[in-house]
Amino acid sequence: MISDDERAEVARRLARVRDRIAAAEVAAGRPAGSVRLLLATKTVPVELVRAALEADSVARAALVTRDGGHPPVEAVILGENRVQELVAKAPHLADLSPELHLIGPLQSNKVAAASRWASCIESVDTFALAGRLAGRAVVSGRVLEVFVQVNVSGEATKHGVAPRHAVELAVQVAALGGLRLRGLMTVGANTPDESAVRAGYALLRELSEEIVRTGGASTSGATELSMGMSRDLELAITEGATIVRTGTAVFGTRPR
Ligand SMILES: *Cc1c(COP(=O)(O)O)cnc(C)c1O
């Protein structure tokens, strides 16, 4: 069980991140609510994830009461890195029906488990993986959402297709039955140099525009950009992020 203090802390941190997103939307001249918040929940105990979902739902309800009509922001998305952790936690979150994404690398032997619990795989970086996911989706008679992950920084430790192959891969993935390509995802450069981080996010946006310009099958809707983390979400929003992924800003520093 988690304490009332921990509950209050996660609610406070979540509100702070929502404020940062709203301020960045204004600064970038983008409509309020145009950026969705994904909570990266690796290593976070399921009770604390539940507390975050509950805090989010309370905060959104309060906004509705004040303004009337629809909540001005959509509910948070949850993102897990490891399939094993996704499978362990998802059943304990099912009653809250969160939107669940896989944001970490996916091995082919875990495709079935991942597609059972996640509605979206953000880490597709090879056509072979896309093909396996598509096959699985067709067999189970559903449509699986995917992002193509691009390694914009070129750092060897990062997953994702190289930028020069990203458009070709995305066009091929979009054309597969059983999948819906939502857009591109990246993990930004790990550097304090803001201009380098920002250039990577700008590159992801340019690649995304190029994909739509190909006119390839089912590419016209593939306009989402999942980019930006706790430390740099403002830069990502300036460059067009539609989903930012935060872990530490909401849950605190992870145990290592
Ligand atoms: C952990 C993680 C995040 C969140 O990073 P923070 O720095 O904790 O905000 C975002 N994306 C991916 C793929 C991650 O693994």
Side-chain angles (χ1 to χ4, degrees):
M1 277 304 287
I2 61 165
S3 69
D4 288 350
D5 278 356
E6 283 173 296
R7 227 169 247 292
E9 179 65 13
V10 88
R12 233 180 347 257
R13 285 165 169 273
L14 186 60
R16 220 176 291 141
V17 170
R18 287 287 199 190
D19 286 345
R20 282 177 63 191
I21 293 172
E25 285 170 340
V26 170
R30 299 182 51 191
S34 53
V35 179
R36 288 195 68 182
L37 173 58
L38 177 148
L39 303 183
T41 52
K42 54 177 172 279
T43 76
V44 179
V46 75
E47 283 298 326
L48 196 55
V49 178
R50 290 185 65 88
L53 286 174
E54 283 155 8
D56 183 51
S57 138
V58 168
R60 291 171 65 246
L63 289 170
V64 176
T65 316
R66 215 185 302 151
D67 304 338
H70 278 292
V73 294
E74 289 185 75
V76 292
I77 300 165
L78 299 182
E80 277 294 347
N81 285 70
R82 299 177 60 228
V83 175
Q84 211 179 315
E85 218 177 317
L86 172 74
V87 169
K89 284 183 204 167
H92 304 286
L93 299 165
D95 59 313
L96 301 173
S97 20
E99 181 176 333
L100 282 170
H101 291 193
L102 184 75
I103 60 173
L106 177 56
Q107 288 161 341
S108 53
N109 60 341
K110 303 247 169 74
V111 157
S115 8
R116 166 146 190 226
W117 294 107
S119 63
C120 179
I121 310 294
E122 295 201 16
S123 48
V124 173
D125 61 358
T126 65
F127 188 68
L129 174 60
R132 287 203 179 84
L133 289 166
R136 182 83 212 168
V138 168
V139 165
S140 33
R142 49 187 280 248
V143 173
L144 183 70
E145 299 183 332
V146 295
F147 284 76
V148 163
Q149 180 173 358
V150 184
N151 183 357
V152 292
S153 71
E155 288 167 31
T157 53
K158 294 222 156 75
H159 295 273
V161 65
R164 67 182 184 285
H165 298 308
V167 174
E168 186 188 8
L169 176 60
V171 168
Q172 290 173 340
V173 170
L176 285 173
L179 301 186
R180 183 171 84 78
L181 179 67
R182 286 177 60 166
L184 300 179
M185 179 271 221
T186 197
V187 176
N190 187 10
T191 163
D193 177 1
E194 284 201 353
S195 63
V197 176
R198 188 163 167 182
Y201 292 153
L203 174 59
L204 199 72
R205 174 173 40 76
E206 285 153 18
L207 291 170
S208 153
E209 289 162 0
E210 220 180 294
I211 290 160
V212 174
R213 274 200 304 274
T214 65
S218 307
T219 54
S220 65
T223 53
E224 288 189 67
L225 295 171
S226 175
M227 59 187 191
M229 318 206 294
S230 294
R231 64 167 184 268
D232 61 16
L233 64 89
E234 285 84 0
L235 296 177
I237 291 172
T238 307
E239 292 300 341
T242 62
I243 297 179
V244 293
R245 308 182 308 268
T246 67
T248 50
V250 174
F251 299 112
T253 313
R254 289 177 287 273
R256 322 187 33 125

